[in-house]
Amino acid sequence: MGITRRNFIRNLGGTTAAVAAGSGLVLAAPGQNRPLAKPRHLPAPSEDISWKLLRGSFKMNWTLEPAAGKWIKENTIADSVQGTYRSNGYILQIAVKENGKRSAIVQFNIRREDKAHFRMHAYKIACNTSQSGVYKIFTPGSMMQQNYQIDLPYDFIAHSRAEIDQPVIWMQQTDGANTFTLGLLDQVQCTTLRGTTYLGNEGGEAPGIANKYASVSLERIFDEHNEVTEFADGLYAEADADISWFQSLINYSKAADRFTGFDGRRKTSAWALNPAWSTWYAHASDINQEMLLEDARLARELGVTTIEIDAGWNTRKGVSYHLDEDGDYYFNKDRFPDPEKLINEMHLKGMKIILRVAPLVMGVNANSRKKLENCLLKVDGKPTTYLDPRLKPVEDFLLNAWEYLFSYYKIDGMFYDFLEIPEKPDPVKGPEILHDNVHTAYTHLMKKLYEKAIAIQPDAVIVLRRGSANLNAKSFCTHMWPQDVPQDYNMNRRDVLYLKSLGDGILTHACSTSWPVSESDINVARHMSSIVMAGVPFFASLLNLLTASHKRIIKAWLSFYEKNKRDLVMGKMKPLLPTPPSAVLYTKGEQQVFIGFFEAVTGMVEVENVNTITIINAYNNHTATRLQGLSGNWSLAVYDHAWEPAGSRQIKADEQQGVTLNVQTKTNCHVVVLKKM
């Protein structure tokens, strides 16, 4: 039995030298004999370098081959780790750069004095900090889907690499204020994130359990073939208590972008903000040409202008999707006898087509498997279902497939699925190796595929999903969407909010909410209001069984989105409550503000100087709040869950520069719109 898509998701918990994509590695030539013999055992780590910075006490060491021992500092800068160090033929340079209020970056670079190759086996940065103000600790994985952990952990362990998440740990107050954020700048290499607030922690700022440190570490272990001539990385640290955890993560993302060379300047295509519908939660993989033509017609009537054709288009008819079936890049003729006609008719309806692909999956039943049998990643000598991105035949195969899909079928974009390749596959040998390091190879391949897509279709949309939708992916995608969170619109929105912390350069898709055909009108409106505010709206309910009232609600919310989409998607979003962080959202556009009450109604909201304020209350029927920061006269209009008028009046800001609202409606989902007169 093959691996099903849903079960897989639920179980996730050449030149002679080259700079690794998005990394601080300067690599030796791949696939060649090295002057260094394979080590019989891992060398001992170097002695620690210790320092104090902001509110932390830090230690750092490196496991190198040849081994390093004690680091001798050449030039001393008082009370700073900054300087040049030497040990057993190595030169280590450490620079500390202030990065704003209570924020710094510690960057380091290691090379041999004789510029010879060496192996970087591992390095570790550990930090002790007072538990004062530490009431929550998160990693990306603990703020994802059903793994959301709101309580302070005794201890934790998490992982990141090029294909999954970011190497960052953040500590915060209960009100959401930042306490201490620590993250590595290199986004490609494997990182283990550890921490404890109690277990195994022997140190403290004073005697007793209550005074134990919060201890965290970021550890990187490389494969034995990680041979380099130079290595660089950096530690981002922020202890600014006057900003939120969310803003601290945005600041970290900016620092990581600078390190990796991503400048965030990217043209937004003309259709990047199109509302979309997906086939997956409506039909799973049981799709065909006739069905999709009818779905396209129904979707267009609702205001949808993008269709995402999910799994099933390239697999055998009558067989449910699993990884064993995937790997071919042409439409199955039994399901889609004339795919060119299908796509052309959709284009004539004014619709764009996103095709779901799994670039690195090569199932045993795929027709392409035979010619790529020797190009699969292996773990402990056994082939996996994944293609090996280190090999040139894999790159050639996928580049040709992208050329075919975009040029022949004339698709408009892609959604990449199942990018989570094994962390430590077996090494490869031979003349057609592009990179020895699989995570560097993955990053390089994804960039090449992105370049191929936009070379053929300059307005192409490339979508990735958490956790492969991470900082590393910003250079090879245009959109990111949550993990699979279809039924729970609140969880969906929380994932989108986290993706917003990745900063500029990508757009968020609120994909892919869905609901049963018997769902209440109020809950359908809640789904729609949530995805409209979270990002590019993306839903996947069964279109041919929608009730008349459901259609009316969908059309009304998509109409509101169309009128305001640039401000909604490209405005600056922030959370107004810490737990859960997406309970109340605030988005600032050019001349308007959107406030979303989804899991609570706050007593007051500080509002910037704008002309329009739209309050979406998807929580209850009573909007009782104060908008602070207003002046003058305002018109106030109330709408029900389907945007039908439910009342209006004029109001005036009081002497304290605010407006107190007390709006009650008949439905537990409604909208209040204020416009300055």
Side-chain angles (χ1 to χ4, degrees), residues 508-526:
T508 54
H509 260 149
C511 174
S512 168
T513 192
S514 61
W515 55 84
V517 294
S518 61
E519 187 55 272
S520 69
D521 288 356
I522 294 300
N523 281 338
V524 172
R526 286 168 165 164

Side-chain angles (χ1 to χ4, degrees), residues 197-232:
T197 60
Y198 184 84
L199 300 176
N201 184 357
E202 301 303 326
E205 58 183 301
I209 294 173
N211 290 298
K212 286 193 172 187
Y213 291 126
S215 298
V216 299
S217 66
L218 300 110
E219 309 165 28
R220 285 193 157 145
I221 298 178
F222 299 85
D223 64 48
E224 63 189 29
H225 292 271
N226 188 51
E227 193 167 310
V228 298
T229 58
E230 188 175 355
F231 184 87

Side-chain angles (χ1 to χ4, degrees), residues 48-67:
D48 290 337
I49 292 178
S50 302
W51 75 97
K52 294 184 183 296
L53 179 69
L54 302 173
R55 55 169 288 157
S57 296
F58 293 86
K59 295 190 299 184
M60 178 164 53
N61 62 48
W62 293 265
T63 303
L64 306 170
E65 186 192 349

Side-chain angles (χ1 to χ4, degrees), residues 400-574:
N400 287 334
W402 265 227
E403 174 92 32
Y404 183 72
L405 291 171
F406 279 99
S407 296
Y408 182 72
Y409 289 131
K410 302 191 184 308
I411 63 169
D412 303 290
M414 289 179 168
F415 157 50
Y416 291 179
D417 208 355
F418 294 132
L419 295 177
E420 298 85 0
I421 58 177
E423 179 179 343
K424 295 180 180 179
D426 297 346
V428 288
K429 298 179 181 179
E432 296 189 293
I433 302 172
L434 298 172
H435 299 277
D436 285 325
N437 184 287
V438 70
H439 309 294
T440 299
Y442 160 87
T443 303
H444 172 84
L445 175 60
M446 291 298 111
K447 288 182 177 180
K448 295 276 282 189
L449 294 178
Y450 176 78
E451 291 165 1
K452 171 64 74 173
I454 62 172
I456 302 170
Q457 171 54 271
D459 283 344
V461 161
I462 303 297
V463 189
L464 269 68
R465 173 176 57 197
R466 279 194 84 185
S468 55
N470 57 11
L471 283 175
N472 187 50
K474 289 174 70 172
S475 61
F476 50 80
C477 74
T478 62
H479 292 62
M480 296 181 176
W481 69 36
Q483 263 285 5
D484 274 30
V485 283
Q487 294 89 354
D488 188 342
Y489 58 89
N490 287 318
M491 185 164 53
N492 177 293
R493 191 180 61 257
R494 187 176 69 236
D495 253 21
V496 174
L497 173 71
Y498 176 79
L499 290 172
K500 293 281 190 182
S501 75
L502 301 185
D504 295 334
I506 51 96
L507 303 177
T508 54
H509 260 149
C511 174
S512 168
T513 192
S514 61
W515 55 84
V517 294
S518 61
E519 187 55 272
S520 69
D521 288 356
I522 294 300
N523 281 338
V524 172
R526 286 168 165 164
H527 275 272
M528 292 303 301
S529 65
S530 180
I531 63 173
V532 160
M533 185 151 184
V536 179
F538 210 121
F539 68 104
S541 291
L542 203 56
L543 298 178
N544 64 338
L545 293 182
L546 289 174
T547 65
S549 59
H550 287 185
K551 290 179 182 179
R552 181 168 58 91
I553 292 165
I554 295 169
K555 290 175 70 173
W557 281 100
L558 291 184
S559 176
F560 164 72
Y561 170 78
E562 280 294 333
K563 295 171 186 174
N564 301 281
K565 59 186 178 183
R566 292 201 71 82
D567 281 340
L568 283 164
V569 177
M570 308 188 74
K572 297 299 181 183
M573 178 184 286
K574 64 181 180 181

Side-chain angles (χ1 to χ4, degrees), residues 131 133-139 141-157 169-174 195-198 494 578-581:
Q131 290 206 50
V134 178
Y135 290 92
K136 296 184 185 297
I137 301 180
F138 288 102
T139 65
S142 62
M143 193 178 276
M144 179 190 289
Q145 207 182 25
Q146 289 93 344
N147 297 322
Y148 178 45
Q149 298 172 3
I150 65 172
D151 296 317
L152 184 67
Y154 270 171
D155 62 357
F156 66 86
I157 183 169
I169 300 167
W170 67 98
M171 310 173 204
Q172 65 182 69
Q173 300 266 14
T174 54
T196 177
T197 60
Y198 184 84
R494 187 176 69 236
T579 310

